[in-house]
Every structure is written in structure tokens, then in C-alpha cells.
Amino acid sequence: MNVKRRLIFVGIFFILTFSIILYRLAAIQLIQTESFSAKGVNLVQESVNQRTQEVVIDDGRGRFIDRNGDSLRNQVEPSLVLFPFLKEVSWPVEKLSEAINVSSNELKRRLQNIKEPLVLSSKDGVNLSSEDLAKINKLEIPGVFGIYRQSPIDETVGEHIIGITGENAKLLRKKYPDRQDLSYKTQIGITGLEKTFDEFLLPDAQTKLLYHVDGDGNPLFGVNVKYIADSNPFYPISVKTTIDKNLQSIAEDVLHKQKVDKGGVVLLDIESNEVLAMVSKPELNRSDDRTLMNYMLQPLFPGSIFKTVISAAAIEYGLNDAAREFNCSLNLYGENDGGQDDGMLSLAKSFAKSCNYTFTTLAGELMEKDINALEDTADKLGLLGPVGWQGEVFHYQHFKQLPEEKAGRIWGDEKDKNVPKAIDQTAIGQKNVKVTPLGVANMMATIARGGHKQQVKIVENILYKNGTNMFSFTSNSLKGEKISPYTASKLQELLRLVVADSEGTGRRFQTLPIDVAGKSGTAQTGKKNAKGQDLYNKWFAGYFPSSQPKYALVVVEMDTTSDEAGTNASFYDIVNEISKTVR
């Protein structure tokens, strides 16, 4: 009886196992042939791919261009394509050699060990023109093609702005369940604008050269190569950014020259409030997750940059008596610790020399007048954010151009508003005050415009392949109250004095060919380097030309010792380079 039961169990086990195998085979061969597993693998297509070799001319993903239409990531480059089967057949290599001015021996040498199609361009020492491509294709040699191929630009700019793409089949299927036509190998946006505009950038179809091979890689149906092109006149789209490629390159080159290893730059067009350049350091390295963050969108300790807010609030609340003087030989807590010896200074002079005691005194008086004075004024200046463009885009009700941007803050605990020392530390941009470099740039642009605050835009249009407009991003005002024109005017005077005064913290910029207005900042971070030295965030933020403002610029170097900071030198060099283009 036991033997019989065992035989029954064994039989059932084998039947179940065989059924599972049959089902698996059926799934592979019949049921899930076009969407197998969680990745949605197209088994039919993969089986075809095993018997084909191809050259992808264009992967079909959308592009990014700058405000002038110049590509920010890819370029179309004249290229020569040679297929592997040329090694095994007789073909007029001398005619091709004569057409492109590359020796026949060199062409044969390059073909010797290839197993996949060979693509040659300027990077490989083969410089071709449109005329050369015409000559190549006129020869009509099977397996030899002259094409324009999409390839990465040698020196790309705006890496953190554009972001990166990668393969993630599970996320692809989750985000786009209706796009079963997409291969599980389709690249999707991981960071930056690649992620933000991913749905618009997804490929419609690839453009490629393709031929069939047997198991040894030999032509299966002769030497005919098939050209598969995307005939859609609308896709791929182009995302037209507000970035100026030349200005972006200037900013990146200057930071490299001044050895700013952590920090960055934000440059805005004051009239339109558009981003002309944005650089984040360290440089993006997709194999190191620590480099993926765009620090220009992250809240940082601002230090004395925040005194701009205290000054604005003092003006708004009528505490800016020009005749009043403050004892700037005292420290921020009103103590005479011997650390400073600046004597009695007016508000204007205190701002120029960045006297701590003046602004802790004013902050205390402001808190007595209005417990929310500081955050309300910061909001009026367009500092706290998020300040990036947001609005309705097709079916997106709250589309954000810069979704990675974080909001700034002033208070970590509401109880601190009643603690004198906490108010003092807050007044000089320490304690819990953190704002983004983008927010600081927006504040400077707001002041330069006379108090009008706007959303910051980094993308202007989405364009169809044929150049027609798919969507335009309007210029939007930031909601909420704003500072008065009078306050803006007085702040402009204070910011100009920082540079114009012989003792101002920005006096270095007096030698620039155009006038600058701005404010410096040094913020303690609470960190130390390997030598035990304190590390700071070093800032300079302002606008220029000060008489007719055109650009708002912020430079910040993070986690640096005060002596090593390249902030002011970077600000100086960027303004100096841009001044050559200002008419």
C-alpha cells in the first residue's frame, strides 16, 4: 500500500513538473512572445536580433538644444559604415579609397578582425564631408554606406542640467503601461531634464542599417543591407532650453580653472528670468551616485547673503534710519570679544562691510514688530522657493521644469523665534537658515527688476521634428506679495555699495570693465577637513551691469577653507568674460 502511494505521489510530481515545463514552453513560444517576463521582452524580436547585425543611426530619443538651437548632447556626424562580410568577398576597395582619401591598405586593416559593422568618423581619423558621403553612396558598393549618424558631442556641457538616462525595464513598464511597442532596453530619464521630459523624449522608432547573418556571422540572404528609417515627421522632438551654450561653457571653464571642486554657478537673464547657465560640482559621473545631485537646487547655509533679507525687512518695516549707527566693534551677540574693531557704522556701511551686530540688532527689532517678518520678507524677494517654472502642460496639472529643486527655510523650530541667540544666528544666515543657489539668484534678479518676482524658466519650447511648436512655456509671476519699488531701490543702493565702497567685501570687483552690485557670504557648515580645519560655504551673489541690470549671477563654493575658496575669483572671471559680449 505504501509503495502504491509513493508511486502515485511520484507520478503526480512528474505530471506537475512536466505541465510546468509545457506551460513555460507555451509561454515562450505561443502566449508571451511579444511581452515575456516583467521586463516585457519581445522574444520574436530578440530571436530576429540574434540573426541580424545592425548599425543604429538614430535611437529615436528626443534631443536637447540651447536657446540658439545648438545641440547640447548629440551631434549629427558624417560617418562611413563597413559591414563585416566585406572581409569575405571581393569588392572595389580602391574606388572607396580614392573617394574618401584613405588608403586601401588602411581600410583592409580596419576590417580584419571585426565581427560587427564598423563605423568610422572624425574620431577615428576619417574626416568626411557631405560631398564625400555622396561619393561613397554613388559607388553603390554592397556593405559600404555613407551616413549622417547621431553621436555624442566630444565635450558636452550642462551635464547636471540635462541629466542621465539608463535601462530600467521594470520602471519603464510601470511608467508607460500603454507603450508595449517600447523595447525593454529603451533608455529612460534618470535625472535632470532627461527625467522631467521623459514622456516627450521616448523614441517612436529607430533609424538603422540592418542585415541578416548565419551562425558564423556570414550573410544569410546575400549582401543586401536594409535601411529602416523613421518616417514620422513629428518625432523625435527637441526640448529647447534657455541655456546659452557659450555662457555655459564659460562658467564650466572658470570653475575648473579656479579649482572649485564642490559648489557651482547660476546665471539668470534678469529680464526673462531664464537660466542661461547652471553648473554643479563635482562633475557628473554616472558610476558615482554622490555626483548625481545638482547642488544648485539644494538648500545650503547662506551666511551673510541672508543679510539682504534683513535689510529688505528693515526697509519694509521702517527701521532703515540713515542717521542711525551701530557699534560694529561688538560681535553678533552684542559682546565686546575683541574680534572686530569697525567702530560705529550706518546700515549702508554695515551692509558693505558685513557687520554682524547691525543685522542681529535689526533682526531682534523686526521680531518684536512681526514674528513672521523674516520669512515673509524672504518670500517677497522670491528666495525661499521652489522658484522653478511650474504650471499646466497637457494632462499634467502641476508640471515642474525643475522637480529636483528643494524649498529653502529660515526656522527649524518655531520656538527659536523667541530665543535671542537663535534670532542672532538666523540673522547672519546660520542656525537653520538654508536656501538654494537658484533661490539666491532669483532674489538678486527680483531686486534688479525693481521687486517683480517671477518663476525661473529653464525650458522655452518643445519642438516637433519638423521644427513646428508643440508647446511653449509662458513667463509666470511668482505668487504672493512682493517688496515695494522703494525697497528694491534702496536694496540696489546697498548692493552697489558692497562693491563701490573702498572697504566693501566686494571691492575686488571695482576693476571689472562693467559695474557690479552684490553681496558676499561666508557660512559655517559644522564640518572639518582631514587637517581639522573648519569648512565653510563661500558665496558671492549679485547682478550686472548695476546701472542697467542684464545678468544675475551666483557663485558658491561648498565645504572649503576660507583661504582656499575660489568664489570671488570665479565670479570675477565669469563677469569679465561675459563683459566682452555686452554691447
Side-chain angles (χ1 to χ4, degrees):
M1 187 71 177
N2 289 337
V3 173
K4 185 176 181 182
R5 289 180 64 184
R6 286 197 196 101
L7 289 174
I8 292 172
F9 285 136
V10 170
I12 292 172
F13 173 77
F14 278 110
I15 291 171
L16 288 173
T17 303
F18 188 64
S19 299
I20 291 171
I21 293 172
L22 283 177
Y23 176 78
R24 185 71 169 175
L25 288 172
I28 293 172
Q29 297 288 333
L30 302 171
I31 302 171
Q32 297 178 333
T33 56
E34 295 186 1
S35 184
F36 181 72
S37 80
K39 291 184 176 181
V41 180
N42 188 321
L43 296 174
V44 176
Q45 183 62 48
E46 289 301 307
S47 68
V48 171
N49 290 343
Q50 290 180 354
R51 302 191 304 275
T52 61
Q53 290 187 350
E54 65 182 32
V55 175
V56 176
I57 299 172
D58 190 334
D59 66 3
R61 187 170 175 85
R63 339 266 188 233
F64 291 95
I65 57 178
D66 82 342
R67 66 193 301 110
N68 300 311
D70 293 332
S71 177
L72 290 173
R73 175 152 289 177
N74 296 313
Q75 62 184 354
V76 178
E77 188 174 20
S79 304
L80 170 67
V81 179
L82 302 174
F83 279 81
F85 62 72
L86 291 170
K87 298 181 297 183
E88 313 297 334
V89 300
S90 175
W91 62 287
V93 62
E94 289 79 11
K95 288 186 178 181
L96 177 62
S97 171
E98 183 180 343
I100 64 174
N101 198 28
V102 176
S103 73
S104 58
N105 288 335
E106 175 65 13
L107 291 171
K108 290 177 181 178
R109 184 188 69 79
R110 299 218 183 199
L111 278 169
Q112 278 181 358
N113 300 314
I114 66 169
K115 295 182 179 180
E116 296 181 350
L118 178 65
V119 182
L120 299 174
S121 61
S122 59
K123 298 175 183 177
D124 310 290
V126 179
N127 296 299
L128 302 172
S129 64
S130 56
E131 291 78 12
D132 292 330
L133 296 189
K135 291 178 184 178
I136 293 168
N137 294 326
K138 190 175 181 180
L139 294 173
E140 297 184 344
I141 302 173
V144 178
F145 295 90
I147 63 171
Y148 285 102
R149 190 189 191 201
Q150 285 280 346
S151 63
I153 296 173
D154 290 335
E155 296 183 5
T156 56
V157 297
E159 288 289 289
H160 281 92
I161 300 170
I162 305 304
I164 62 174
T165 60
E167 291 182 15
N168 189 327
K170 188 174 182 180
L171 180 59
L172 174 71
R173 297 306 178 205
K174 182 179 179 181
K175 288 181 67 176
Y176 308 111
D178 298 331
R179 291 295 307 272
Q180 294 300 314
D181 59 305
L182 295 174
S183 164
Y184 71 95
K185 294 182 179 180
T186 299
Q187 297 276 320
I188 59 174
I190 306 298
T191 67
L193 296 179
E194 288 278 16
K195 180 180 181 181
T196 304
F197 288 86
D198 191 52
E199 183 173 347
F200 301 100
L201 297 166
L202 288 173
D204 186 61
Q206 291 183 332
T207 300
K208 56 190 175 183
L209 295 169
L210 178 147
Y211 83 111
H212 298 275
V213 296
D214 60 20
D216 296 322
N218 298 315
L220 192 60
F221 304 117
V223 292
N224 292 324
V225 176
K226 188 176 182 181
Y227 176 73
I228 300 175
D230 177 18
S231 59
N232 193 323
F234 300 107
Y235 294 91
I237 61 94
S238 292
V239 175
K240 185 177 182 181
T241 69
T242 63
I243 298 299
D244 185 305
K245 193 173 181 178
N246 291 329
L247 297 180
Q248 180 73 25
S249 295
I250 287 172
E252 292 182 7
D253 291 345
V254 166
L255 289 191
H256 178 74
K257 173 187 171 185
Q258 297 300 339
K259 300 179 180 179
V260 175
D261 297 323
K262 189 176 183 181
V265 165
V266 178
L267 179 68
L268 300 182
D269 179 294
I270 288 176
E271 182 179 359
S272 62
N273 222 40
E274 295 175 345
V275 178
L276 298 174
M278 182 186 290
V279 187
S280 180
K281 303 283 277 184
E283 294 181 3
L284 190 147
N285 179 356
R286 65 179 303 140
S287 62
D288 185 351
D289 290 345
R290 294 172 298 177
T291 69
L292 300 184
M293 181 177 291
N294 186 343
Y295 282 111
M296 300 303 96
L297 306 178
Q298 303 301 313
L300 311 173
F301 292 113
S304 292
I305 292 287
F306 194 69
K307 291 173 184 175
T308 309
V309 176
I310 305 299
S311 299
I315 298 167
E316 292 273 286
Y317 285 85
L319 299 178
N320 60 320
D321 183 355
R324 184 182 179 185
E325 292 188 333
F326 303 83
N327 186 356
C328 288
S329 293
L330 303 179
N331 67 14
L332 72 157
Y333 302 122
E335 301 165 346
N336 192 349
D337 60 1
Q340 292 176 287
D341 188 25
D342 289 327
M344 303 300 292
L345 299 179
S346 65
L347 171 59
K349 193 77 171 180
S350 296
F351 191 82
K353 297 189 70 173
S354 205
C355 165
N356 286 339
Y357 178 68
T358 300
F359 295 94
T360 59
T361 300
L362 289 171
E365 294 174 4
L366 286 165
M367 296 299 289
E368 291 178 2
K369 281 180 169 286
D370 182 350
I371 200 73
N372 298 316
L374 303 192
E375 58 262 50
D376 287 350
T377 304
D379 186 63
K380 288 180 181 180
L381 290 165
L383 174 64
L384 295 182
V387 299
W389 192 98
Q390 55 183 300
E392 185 176 349
V393 178
F394 298 122
H395 59 278
Y396 295 101
Q397 296 297 314
H398 303 287
F399 185 89
K400 296 180 179 180
Q401 289 190 357
L402 296 168
E404 296 166 344
E405 178 196 2
K406 300 294 190 296
R409 71 178 187 193
I410 296 176
W411 305 101
D413 189 331
E414 286 291 309
K415 295 178 181 178
D416 286 344
K417 293 182 177 183
N418 297 305
V419 180
K421 283 198 173 183
I423 295 171
D424 292 341
Q425 293 167 12
T426 300
I428 62 170
Q430 295 283 181
K431 187 61 176 172
N432 292 303
V433 181
K434 282 192 173 184
V435 294
T436 67
L438 182 67
V440 173
N442 188 58
M443 176 177 71
M444 291 297 168
T446 298
I447 294 169
R449 281 194 300 268
H452 177 60
K453 57 180 185 177
Q454 295 177 236
Q455 292 180 357
V456 177
K457 191 162 57 172
I458 198 168
V459 172
E460 185 178 339
N461 301 93
I462 303 174
L463 302 174
Y464 285 118
K465 179 181 177 180
N466 60 12
T468 58
N469 190 54
M470 177 182 183
F471 188 85
S472 293
F473 293 90
T474 58
S475 294
N476 297 341
S477 297
L478 278 173
K479 295 179 180 178
E481 296 182 28
K482 58 184 181 180
I483 58 172
S484 68
Y486 173 77
T487 299
S489 176
K490 300 304 289 185
L491 287 174
Q492 290 169 8
E493 293 177 11
L494 293 177
L495 292 167
R496 177 59 191 147
L497 192 63
V498 170
V499 177
D501 190 276
S502 60
E503 297 180 296
T505 57
R507 58 187 178 278
R508 168 178 189 169
F509 305 120
Q510 292 175 6
T511 59
L512 281 166
I514 52 180
D515 294 336
V516 170
K519 183 73 185 78
S520 61
T522 301
Q524 295 176 338
T525 64
K527 305 176 187 176
K528 294 181 182 293
N529 63 11
K531 297 178 181 179
Q533 296 172 301
D534 290 327
L535 298 178
Y536 302 87
N537 291 341
K538 294 284 290 186
W539 299 71
F540 199 88
Y543 59 87
F544 59 97
S546 57
S547 55
Q548 293 181 310
K550 183 173 176 60
Y551 303 100
L553 175 64
V554 171
V555 179
V556 58
E557 183 169 8
M558 302 166 58
D559 299 339
T560 180
T561 63
S562 185
D563 294 337
E564 296 175 353
T567 309
N568 284 5
S570 297
F571 192 99
Y572 188 102
D573 288 351
I574 292 172
V575 175
N576 191 46
E577 287 298 315
I578 293 177
S579 70
K580 298 173 183 177
T581 67
V582 176
R583 297 290 183 263

